[in-house]
Amino acid sequence: MTALRQCRMTDLLRMSLCNLDPLTENYDVQFYIEYMARWPSLFTIAENSDGQIIGYIMGKVEEDPAYLSFSDNHLPWHGHVTALTVAPQYRRLGIAKLLTEAFERACDNQNAWFVDLFVRASNDKAITMYRKMGYSVFRRVVDYYSDNPTSKSAGEDAFDMRKPMKRDKKRKHIRENGEECRINPEDIYHG
């Protein structure tokens, strides 16, 4: 049985099983602490019946600054999944879906327009999983990832995938054929 709960400081020492995957982004401890302090309801741990951490999701709610509102790339109040990972031996059991649904509920409670996340363009399994959960590609961020494990090129593109929340009744923050809409990483505000 899997249980979900809010992340605690002591969990940071127990997340190794999840972070050993090459597709999982790893951060320094201070980064995780900042997320726990600023967005505690958006940092959720999945535990198995033995209390072992088998997955987590962490993210934030944010909006680009008002001075960027003229930009085509301006983002309104939304949820952003910074990291979602499940230990390899616990994949394909629906744990990522449980974590993502908990995150989406928390974002809906904070009146977000949508939830977005970035995924490597080569990560077909993750893209398929997110599509099944109602996400679609909004845009392609060219060379977003500085490494590219699939070829000899310098970087790898990311898909900015989005799912509208209850607030976006007219679905104005999603688009068709987002894979064809290309932007550069410097066009994204990183506040």
Side-chain angles (χ1 to χ4, degrees):
M1 184 175 148
T2 302
L4 302 183
R5 64 168 176 77
Q6 192 170 315
C7 185
R8 298 186 291 250
M9 290 289 268
T10 55
D11 294 330
L12 298 179
L13 303 172
R14 302 175 43 235
M15 294 184 345
S16 307
L17 183 63
C18 301
N19 286 344
L20 295 176
D21 177 44
L23 292 176
T24 297
E25 197 76 29
N26 285 286
Y27 304 99
D28 62 47
V29 173
Q30 188 166 347
F31 189 80
Y32 291 105
I33 292 170
E34 178 184 357
Y35 273 72
M36 279 192 283
R38 294 184 66 187
W39 303 284
S41 66
L42 300 175
F43 198 154
T44 303
I45 296 291
E47 288 182 320
N48 66 13
S49 57
D50 295 327
Q52 185 179 31
I53 296 174
I54 57 173
Y56 67 88
I57 191 167
M58 64 184 241
K60 57 188 172 181
V61 285
E62 63 182 352
E63 178 175 18
D64 287 354
Y67 68 83
L68 292 175
S69 61
F70 67 90
S71 167
D72 290 337
N73 296 316
H74 177 264
L75 295 178
W77 186 251
H78 70 286
H80 175 74
V81 175
T82 303
L84 168 63
T85 188
V86 175
Q89 63 269 41
Y90 290 93
R91 292 188 182 153
R92 306 189 68 79
L93 300 174
I95 296 167
K97 183 178 182 196
L98 288 173
L99 288 163
T100 304
E101 288 170 347
F103 186 87
E104 292 166 0
R105 281 191 302 277
C107 290
D108 257 337
N109 289 340
Q110 295 186 45
N111 207 25
W113 283 96
F114 58 88
V115 169
D116 78 346
L117 53 89
F118 287 13
V119 62
R120 289 179 183 270
S122 65
N123 193 345
D124 294 330
K125 288 182 182 179
I127 293 165
T128 298
M129 176 188 76
Y130 290 126
R131 286 188 194 280
K132 287 179 181 176
M133 290 191 285
Y135 287 79
S136 61
V137 176
F138 184 75
R139 58 191 176 179
R140 175 187 290 263
V141 185
V142 178
D143 289 335
Y144 179 77
Y145 295 102
S146 60
D147 65 325
N148 187 347
T150 62
S151 76
K152 294 181 180 172
S153 65
E156 182 176 2
D157 295 355
F159 286 149
D160 175 358
M161 298 187 78
R162 294 186 182 179
K163 181 177 180 177
M165 296 290 99
K166 291 177 186 172
R167 182 177 183 183
D168 193 6
K169 293 177 181 22
K170 295 183 180 179
R171 304 235 188 278
K172 69 182 199 175
H173 297 288
I174 59 171
R175 68 165 57 110
E176 296 292 321
N177 301 317
E179 294 88 344
E180 306 307 317
C181 179
R182 295 172 179 265
I183 66 165
N184 296 313
E186 57 268 18
D187 297 327
I188 301 170
Y189 175 75
H190 296 281

